[in-house]
Amino acid sequence: MTQNGEAIKKAMKVLQNKFLSFTVLFCLLVGGLQAQDLLKRGNLATVRVDQLTDAEIIKYQQQLKSSGLTEAQAEQIALSRGMSPGEIAKLRQRANALNAGGTNTPVRKPPVVGAASGEKKQIITNNPDEGTQATAPPSTIDPKIFGSELFSTPSLSFEPNLKIATPLNYELGPDDQIQITVFGVQEVAHDLAVSTEGSVYVPNVGQIKVAGLTFEAATNKIKTQMANSAYPTIKSGMSKFAMNLSKIRSIKVTVVGSNRPGSLTLSSLSTLFNALYSCGGPSANGSFREIELIRNNKIERKVDLYKFLLYADQSDNVRLRDNDVIRIPVYKNRVELAGEVKRPGIFEMLPGESFASAVQFAGGFTENAYRANVKVIQLTNKERRLRDIDNEDFGKYFPLSGDNFEVGKILNKFENRVLVQGALMRPSSFALNNGMRVADLIRKADGLREDAYTQRAILLRIREDLTKEVVAVDIAKALAGDVSQNILLQKDDQLTVNSIFELRDQFTVSIQGEVRKGGSFPLVDSLNLKDLVFLAGGLTDAAYLQRVEVARFIRRDTLTADDTRLTEVFTVDNADDLSVNGKGLMLKPFDVVTIRRKPGYKQLQSVAITGEVQFPGPYVLIDRNEKLTDLIKRSGGFTPEAFVEGAFLKRQNKSDLTDQVKSDKVAKIQEQLKDTTGRIVGEVERTVDRIPVDLAKVLANPAIPDNLLLEAGDELFIPKFDAQVRVNGEVIFPTQLPFSGTNSFKDYVNAAGGFSANALKRKSYVIYANGRADVAKKFLFFRTYPKVKPGAEIVVPKYIAKEQKKLSTAEIIGLSSAVASMAGVVIAILNFTR
């Protein structure tokens, strides 16, 4: 069944193909040809299958259903009416491709109007590679040769454009194919091929010779002969005539002297540049400027590619003809330009072209080029020779082949520069003019600033041997016209005028204490104490002006052993009057003013009590000696749920220890306590200290030292009664347990599963609710553990075994030697005693 099914499918496929082919033939005869009015004339010799579109074939498929013709009968009808067997085969191939889902339809472009005749033209291209990017052929040309990039750049292509309307000056020749169309009263369309004799056959008109004619001339000739014969309506204007080039012939061109010499097959629209690009351009020794186009054994034109490269002149880009020869001779003269030119490279020179022409080929000099003269290395019969070409000889020197020109760079120097800097309005560099003097330079800089020191300026001058010298100038006299000071300037002179502020120290005074913006301030003339207070933003409310200290620097000529003073201190008894009329102490360099705080002046400070009290919250300190009991009294006492034994005081940690000191402290404590829980780290690095307080004892006797004095920011916390005991550290199961007065330390540890294998029992400790801690103690062979209270936490640290250091081989040998020596001594003593 499977084999039968496959056979049936294959048979159906064959029938479908034959049916489609038969449909196409029928459409061609019944439908397509009727549109062209060919069926009445019975001539199918001019039918071209390539001009039929898939849409035209599919349009008439249904007409075959009503016809009784077979495929063989349709083919016989087509052959009898002049259709060639080749066209019938093409038709069958198109039908099969269409049945398989493909298409071979040529690309049709919309009709365009000719630029000269105004008649409609149609462009048809059968190029399968249309729209693809051409790749540059490989080139062996030295990239330094000017113009080599024209044939080595991958993105550049000189492919002829086949998508344009046929040029009117295009010369027809054998193998060209033209399409003529008459539409209007009379309608006809012919696709005509130019024969090898150079003529085309127009049905009902005859042979018309078109070879050698331009497309425009051939169009007019064919139109005229058709109008004078079978198509008179063209002459009357009742019918229109149009002609276009449907297929372009190929031509043979021979290229010699190129990278890939040989014979090329090109489109008849190709130009000389197309051929040069296709063959890879001139060879390594090929000329770019004397390329010969030989036609009919005569030199038709000499081509200079520099015209195109330098000026985009395409006058030499002529259209090629069949059997043209392009000859690229070897170059005669090449020179190289390097250095400061815009386009360094190797350039080809023709007779009569000077070095100035070579510079033009290189794009000219750069902005930094040294143009006074150029060095050229010439080649003699034996060796190289160096020659200098002066600027005035650039147009007179005609380069020799192999010349190598090196264009240098200008020096980083100025031929006429002088500089002025310092206390002037516009310090800068200026051009040195003939007879220019110091006063002229200052005037060019718009004069001196007000702070300029005019009694002495420095003129730095460079001698002929490049050493430097300093010339002192009195600026005031120079500006007054004193010739001895108004010195004549030289190239690269540098005049420096100092400011009076640069020639003296910038003194400062300082103020500290009860001012708003303390710090250092510049000391200016007539600055007194009260002025400095205003510069510091004024006084604070705590400032005490009845005693202001001023520390002053002591100036000495000699230092004696009896004089041990560092500063001299003055006391201003009354500085209340800060008005303009008020007198103030005149300040001197480096004075330090200190404004004291009023005795007993303090901002209001607060403490807080939280937790189980009647009125928790912040309280402002009333007295400097206010204590814990006073705060508890002000808060209304404890609530019934208060756990007095767990009370503690939070106080800001005012430790000034650095991070390194804290780390060392933590490591030391952990080593002593064998603590691995990380609790010590948190305790040392905390910002708030937790101070245990025994309130029961304090309330019973307020006079004891445990009744602490309160400080600003203190917070007394009274916790709620907590009947839990936490067990942490090296126990089997860390947990919380209910408090029981009958349970001991070990009872709670046992309730947590007991000690772990790594427990350090002798260092176990208890932290009580108020923050106090108690550690296990040992006396002789007896170990006692701390008492456990409500809210306490039991902590069992981890035992860390010390690593046993193994003896090295040298140590073992040394120890063995010592033991042997000692044994020898003992034996000797024993023998001696006998």
Side-chain angles (χ1 to χ4, degrees):
M1 291 297 291
T2 304
Q3 294 178 352
N4 293 337
E6 293 294 333
I8 293 173
K9 288 182 179 179
K10 290 182 179 179
M12 291 296 294
K13 187 71 173 180
V14 172
L15 289 175
Q16 287 177 0
N17 292 339
K18 290 185 176 182
F19 177 77
L20 185 57
S21 300
F22 181 72
T23 302
V24 173
L25 285 172
F26 178 81
C27 295
L28 179 63
L29 296 172
V30 180
L33 296 180
Q34 285 180 354
Q36 298 182 9
D37 200 22
L38 293 178
L39 186 61
K40 295 179 180 179
R41 293 188 289 108
N43 185 6
L44 301 181
T46 59
V47 173
R48 297 293 181 265
V49 176
D50 289 339
Q51 298 180 12
L52 296 176
T53 65
D54 294 339
E56 291 173 342
I57 294 175
I58 296 173
K59 180 179 178 181
Y60 300 107
Q61 286 182 355
Q62 299 300 326
Q63 297 183 16
L64 187 62
K65 295 180 180 179
S66 59
S67 173
L69 295 175
T70 65
E71 181 181 0
Q73 292 173 339
E75 290 183 359
Q76 290 297 325
I77 294 175
L79 288 172
S80 64
R81 296 187 182 182
M83 190 173 184
S84 65
E87 292 296 323
I88 294 176
K90 285 184 182 180
L91 184 61
R92 187 181 295 109
Q93 182 181 3
R94 284 279 308 279
N96 293 335
L98 184 63
N99 186 53
T103 177
N104 290 319
T105 307
V107 180
R108 292 183 178 268
K109 300 293 180 76
V112 296
V113 179
S117 63
E119 298 173 346
K120 290 187 178 179
K121 300 180 181 180
Q122 190 176 36
I123 304 170
I124 300 179
T125 173
N126 291 306
N127 183 9
D129 297 327
E130 180 179 326
T132 60
Q133 177 66 39
T135 58
S139 176
T140 59
I141 308 175
D142 187 347
K144 293 170 63 176
I145 296 176
F146 177 58
S148 61
E149 68 276 5
L150 201 63
F151 305 102
S152 59
T153 305
S155 61
L156 183 64
S157 175
F158 279 103
E159 293 291 332
N161 188 358
L162 302 179
K163 301 179 183 179
I164 61 173
T166 306
L168 297 178
N169 60 349
Y170 175 76
E171 293 185 5
L172 294 175
D175 292 335
D176 278 337
Q177 189 169 328
I178 61 176
Q179 186 182 55
I180 60 175
T181 305
V182 177
F183 53 94
V185 174
Q186 291 180 288
E187 291 189 357
V188 68
H190 297 296
D191 201 359
L192 310 175
V194 181
S195 66
T196 55
E197 289 78 15
S199 61
V200 295
Y201 173 76
V202 180
N204 300 323
V205 177
Q207 298 282 347
I208 302 176
K209 188 171 181 61
V210 294
L213 297 179
T214 64
F215 184 79
E216 184 179 18
T219 301
N220 293 332
K221 184 176 181 180
I222 295 175
K223 179 180 178 182
T224 301
Q225 291 196 21
M226 291 182 68
N228 292 333
S229 57
Y231 301 95
T233 56
I234 297 177
K235 183 182 295 185
S236 64
M238 299 175 67
S239 297
K240 298 294 182 181
F241 175 83
M243 185 175 96
N244 69 286
L245 191 65
S246 60
K247 182 178 179 182
I248 300 173
R249 72 182 186 278
S250 299
I251 61 174
K252 295 287 186 180
V253 177
T254 303
V255 183
V256 293
S258 64
N259 272 316
R260 292 185 301 278
S263 180
L264 302 177
T265 301
L266 302 173
S267 164
S268 57
L269 287 175
S270 299
T271 63
L272 187 138
F273 285 2
N274 302 144
L276 287 176
Y277 183 80
S278 298
C279 67
S283 63
N285 295 321
S287 172
F288 278 70
R289 307 196 62 188
E290 294 183 304
I291 300 173
E292 297 174 354
L293 174 61
I294 300 174
R295 183 172 293 164
N296 299 325
N297 295 323
K298 295 180 181 179
I299 297 177
E300 178 74 16
R301 176 185 293 267
K302 278 195 174 184
V303 178
D304 185 355
L305 291 181
Y306 277 25
K307 292 181 181 179
F308 175 73
L309 293 170
L310 295 173
Y311 313 112
D313 183 354
Q314 298 196 60
S315 59
D316 289 335
N317 191 22
V318 296
R319 184 169 291 117
L320 299 175
R321 294 184 181 179
D322 198 20
N323 296 321
D324 278 351
V325 176
I326 300 174
R327 176 179 174 270
I328 305 176
V330 296
Y331 71 88
K332 296 177 181 178
N333 188 352
R334 276 183 185 172
V335 298
E336 182 175 357
L337 270 71
E340 294 300 319
V341 289
K342 295 179 180 177
R343 189 166 46 220
I346 299 174
F347 301 90
E348 185 176 347
M349 307 297 294
L350 297 180
E353 291 180 338
S354 65
F355 172 69
S357 302
V359 173
Q360 183 183 4
F361 297 158
F365 294 109
T366 65
E367 293 76 8
N368 296 323
Y370 178 67
R371 298 179 177 86
N373 63 65
V374 172
K375 299 184 183 301
V376 56
I377 300 175
Q378 300 175 333
L379 302 179
T380 66
N381 293 331
K382 294 183 178 180
E383 55 190 359
R384 300 176 187 271
R385 178 173 59 197
L386 186 65
R387 177 176 174 179
D388 292 335
I389 305 175
D390 295 331
N391 181 274
E392 57 271 14
D393 295 331
F394 285 176
K396 301 176 184 178
Y397 177 77
F398 299 97
L400 304 176
S401 185
D403 280 0
N404 192 323
F405 297 92
E406 180 67 32
V407 181
K409 204 171 187 178
I410 60 175
L411 299 176
N412 190 20
K413 294 179 64 177
F414 292 87
E415 62 179 11
N416 64 335
R417 182 185 67 169
V418 288
L419 297 93
V420 62
Q421 60 185 9
L424 296 104
M425 293 298 182
R426 296 182 183 275
S428 183
S429 57
F430 297 94
L432 175 62
N433 302 323
N434 292 331
M436 188 174 179
R437 296 179 178 270
V438 171
D440 301 326
L441 179 58
I442 293 174
R443 294 187 188 98
K444 276 196 171 186
D446 286 349
L448 301 169
R449 291 205 314 252
E450 292 79 0
D451 60 330
Y453 182 72
T454 60
Q455 303 304 313
R456 187 182 185 90
I458 298 299
L459 181 66
L460 187 63
R461 174 163 292 177
I462 300 177
R463 298 191 183 101
E464 293 182 358
D465 59 356
L466 298 183
T467 60
K468 297 181 180 180
E469 66 173 337
V470 173
V471 180
V473 180
D474 190 325
I475 297 296
K477 291 182 179 180
L479 292 175
D482 188 342
V483 180
S484 63
Q485 299 298 319
N486 195 15
I487 300 173
L488 187 66
L489 297 176
Q490 298 179 7
K491 183 182 72 170
D492 290 329
D493 278 354
Q494 182 174 330
L495 181 65
T496 302
V497 180
N498 291 105
S499 169
I500 58 175
F501 301 111
E502 296 173 348
L503 301 176
R504 66 182 184 185
D505 289 337
Q506 298 295 317
F507 298 119
T508 60
V509 292
S510 302
I511 186 169
Q512 59 188 6
E514 296 301 321
V515 290
R516 300 186 185 280
K517 295 183 296 183
S520 297
F521 297 88
L523 177 63
V524 296
D525 292 341
S526 304
L527 182 69
N528 60 31
L529 174 61
K530 296 179 180 180
D531 298 329
L532 181 60
V533 171
F534 274 95
L535 290 176
L539 303 169
T540 65
D541 183 62
Y544 182 62
L545 297 180
Q546 303 303 318
R547 187 174 179 176
V548 177
E549 286 186 359
V550 179
R552 180 160 296 171
F553 177 72
I554 299 176
R555 299 181 182 274
R556 298 184 178 89
D557 295 330
T558 59
L559 181 63
T560 62
D562 297 333
D563 190 359
T564 59
R565 297 176 301 161
L566 295 176
T567 59
E568 186 178 1
V569 178
F570 300 92
T571 301
V572 179
D573 295 334
N574 188 0
D576 288 341
D577 187 6
L578 298 179
S579 64
V580 176
N581 297 326
K583 296 180 180 180
L585 177 67
M586 300 302 297
L587 299 179
K588 293 185 178 182
F590 311 119
D591 280 357
V592 177
V593 178
T594 304
I595 307 295
R596 302 295 181 190
R597 180 183 286 264
K598 293 177 181 178
Y601 186 92
K602 283 188 178 181
Q603 297 288 342
L604 296 180
Q605 299 175 339
S606 296
V607 295
I609 183 170
T610 56
E612 298 300 320
V613 292
Q614 298 293 335
F615 302 102
Y619 290 86
V620 177
L621 291 176
I622 300 175
D623 193 288
R624 293 196 305 270
N625 296 322
E626 194 164 358
K627 297 184 178 182
L628 292 175
T629 52
D630 301 324
L631 180 59
I632 295 172
K633 184 177 180 181
R634 293 175 63 184
S635 66
F638 305 116
T639 64
E641 293 82 10
F643 184 43
V644 178
E645 293 183 3
F648 59 87
L649 182 68
K650 293 181 182 179
R651 179 164 289 176
Q652 299 296 323
N653 190 352
K654 301 177 182 179
S655 174
D656 296 330
L657 297 178
T658 62
D659 293 340
Q660 183 62 39
V661 174
K662 288 182 179 179
S663 300
D664 295 342
K665 183 179 178 182
V666 168
K668 187 175 181 179
I669 296 175
Q670 285 183 323
E671 183 179 359
Q672 291 177 350
L673 296 180
K674 307 297 182 181
D675 178 69
T676 58
T677 62
R679 190 180 189 91
I680 301 299
V681 178
E683 291 294 328
V684 173
E685 294 183 352
R686 66 185 182 277
T687 58
V688 177
D689 288 331
R690 180 172 172 175
I691 303 174
V693 178
D694 191 349
L695 281 185
K697 186 177 179 182
V698 168
L699 293 174
N701 186 8
I704 62 176
D706 289 354
N707 192 10
L708 301 176
L709 287 174
L710 296 175
E711 296 181 2
D714 283 354
E715 179 183 349
L716 180 60
F717 178 71
I718 311 299
K720 193 174 183 179
F721 181 76
D722 182 12
Q724 297 291 325
V725 175
R726 289 179 291 276
V727 184
N728 288 322
E730 292 302 318
V731 292
I732 301 301
F733 183 69
T735 184
Q736 292 189 19
L737 302 169
F739 174 77
S740 175
T742 60
N743 288 343
S744 65
F745 182 95
K746 284 189 174 182
D747 293 333
Y748 288 107
V749 171
N750 292 333
F755 294 107
S756 68
N758 296 325
L760 186 60
K761 303 177 184 179
R762 60 188 178 85
K763 293 295 183 179
S764 300
Y765 58 94
V766 175
I767 301 175
Y768 298 105
N770 64 353
R772 289 184 183 274
D774 196 2
V775 69
K777 299 178 180 63
K778 184 177 181 181
F779 179 72
L780 296 178
F781 301 102
F782 303 98
R783 180 179 289 114
T784 59
Y785 292 98
K787 184 179 180 181
V788 181
K789 296 181 180 180
E793 179 179 1
I794 297 173
V795 179
V796 181
K798 182 178 180 181
Y799 174 76
I800 301 177
K802 292 185 179 180
E803 183 178 357
Q804 297 294 330
K805 183 179 179 182
K806 295 183 179 180
L807 295 177
S808 64
T809 304
E811 291 173 337
I812 294 173
I813 293 173
L815 185 60
S816 301
S817 300
V819 171
S821 299
M822 186 175 294
V825 172
V826 172
I827 293 171
I829 293 173
L830 292 175
N831 291 334
F832 178 75
T833 56
R834 288 179 184 177

